[in-house]
Amino acid sequence: MAQHPPEPFRIKMVEPIRLIDSAARENALKKAGYNLFALKAEDIFIDLLTDSGTGAMSNRQWAAIMLGDESYAGARSYFRLDEAVNDIFGFEHWMPTHQGRAAEGILSAILVKEGNYIPSNMHFDTTDANIRSRGGRPTNLVIDEAYDPANMHPFKGNMDIAKLKAFIEEIGAENIPFGMMTVTNNAGGGQPVSMENMCAVADVYKSYNIPFFIDAARYAENAYFIKMREEGYAEKSPTEITQEMFALADGMTMSAKKDAIVNIGGLLCMRDNDLFVQAQNELIMREGFPTYGGLAGRDLDAMAVGLREGLEESYLAYRLNQTAYLNDLLIDVGVPVIQPAGGHAIYIDAGALLPHLSHAEFPDQALAVELYREGGIRGVELGSVMFSHEDPDTGEMVYPDLELVRLAIPRRTYTQSHLDYIAETMSKIVKRADQIGGYRFTYAPQFLKHFTAKFEPL
Ligand SMILES: *Cc1c(COP(=O)(O)O)cnc(C)c1O
């Protein structure tokens, strides 16, 4: 039986939520062009759109917010964050940004040239788009096990080292301005990367003189998976594991809205001084002065506390077990989910649940819409709507291997009974899955289609 861990916190402030009736939900869907991003948040009962910036801050973080120093330059808040970033990640240089994508945008602006390739285990959508918008080609080289939803590999976020070497040989290191790794692998199911694999990736990049950047959004969840699953790490703290991992890299981009448990913020870190100078100039143009980088002083203070809280063991044990609990419940009611459970989210295999729909009929979107229709729950598709694109060489549509719907779990926000309700809702959808129809675009922009596209039922 699925086991839910007792939350290592108690609640002292509540935010009311409500379930509007079924006719009102149908109406809301129509008005939104069947795009869940276009719904009013107040019309959603349980919002699992993202775990990004949606977590509950702690009493210590709210207290830190009141200490925020709003000086334009050299604020105390900056130096408190400096200490946390140095303690945990240990890069020579860093700068705050307003989100992860701003860090990716800056890195892409200074390093990516037309025709360059950027390998990774798997790029997240904003990273993918930032690289493409500079004429670069993001390339995913995750191990094959990642594409098999039933495979129980403990580190399904790992890079395929043989593929990486062959890729660099084929493309030429001179056409690869930097290489990446995403921890955990969000686009591939929130699956972790092992320390052994990180070392091997770092060695390969180093041997070709390719700078190595980690997309660090879920540094803490990845560290806890290593502690639980990798030999030799059971006695190490998540902080020690994180320090060991980031010592392997030349830099990182990070969305602080995930494991640093803040509502806004990001980081860009690096070792190389010349690169830092260029990045700072970009930062000043797009984000702000280097000691605030597009954030308020209070945001920096909340991040400084959150970076450390995200690494607390009692919190991480609760966090990952809560996700595993929902995964187990869904398996019990017959929902095909990616196994084993990832860190921050459940990934439902919509392709397997709705096998009568082709990639072009968006089974990912169809299931996401159905969750709202049935139970007022908002998830997000991570399938053809988000990832299909025209091949720049052939002009043909390229579809992703998996049609996923992600139920992201905001940190410290929903309780066990919310998760039970989600499983009940899914069990009703499973029973009528064969009658669920597909969708087509009535509007879609070139990049990051999923945010603003409109649909109609087929
Ligand atoms: C969220 C996320 C990003 C982008 O960060 P934002 O703060 O949303 O801009 C990049 N990579 C990964 C893996 C993410 O999860």
Side-chain angles (χ1 to χ4, degrees), residues 99-101 104 124 126 182 186 215 217-218 255 257-258:
Q99 293 199 196
R101 70 196 67 185
E104 296 157 8
F124 187 61
T126 56
T182 309
N186 186 358
D215 177 343
R218 295 178 184 79
S255 170
K257 300 170 70 172
K258 320 297 172 42

Side-chain angles (χ1 to χ4, degrees), residues 113-165:
K113 306 266 178 304
E114 188 75 34
N116 281 170
Y117 286 78
I118 319 295
S120 184
N121 51 349
M122 245 183 182
H123 293 280
F124 187 61
D125 62 341
T126 56
T127 327
D128 184 290
N130 266 302
I131 293 167
R132 281 185 204 284
S133 75
R134 300 275 163 187
R137 306 218 183 153
T139 306
N140 298 331
L141 301 171
V142 72
I143 55 174
D144 290 338
E145 286 88 337
Y147 296 108
D148 173 5
N151 192 299
M152 292 298 283
H153 193 294
F155 292 102
K156 283 170 96 171
N158 281 357
M159 179 86 89
D160 187 322
I161 301 297
K163 274 194 218 164
L164 177 64
K165 284 184 188 158

Side-chain angles (χ1 to χ4, degrees), residues 39-40 68 74 96 121 127 165 177 185 192 197 210 282 299 354 369 399 430 450:
L39 290 172
K40 282 191 188 150
N121 51 349
T127 327
K165 284 184 188 158
N185 181 13
N197 188 255
I210 297 170
E282 285 286 331
D299 300 326
L354 308 173
V369 167
Y399 292 104
V430 167
H450 52 288

Side-chain angles (χ1 to χ4, degrees), residues 348-362:
I348 301 173
D349 185 348
L353 186 65
L354 308 173
H356 54 287
L357 300 180
S358 71
H359 289 294
E361 295 170 314
F362 300 141

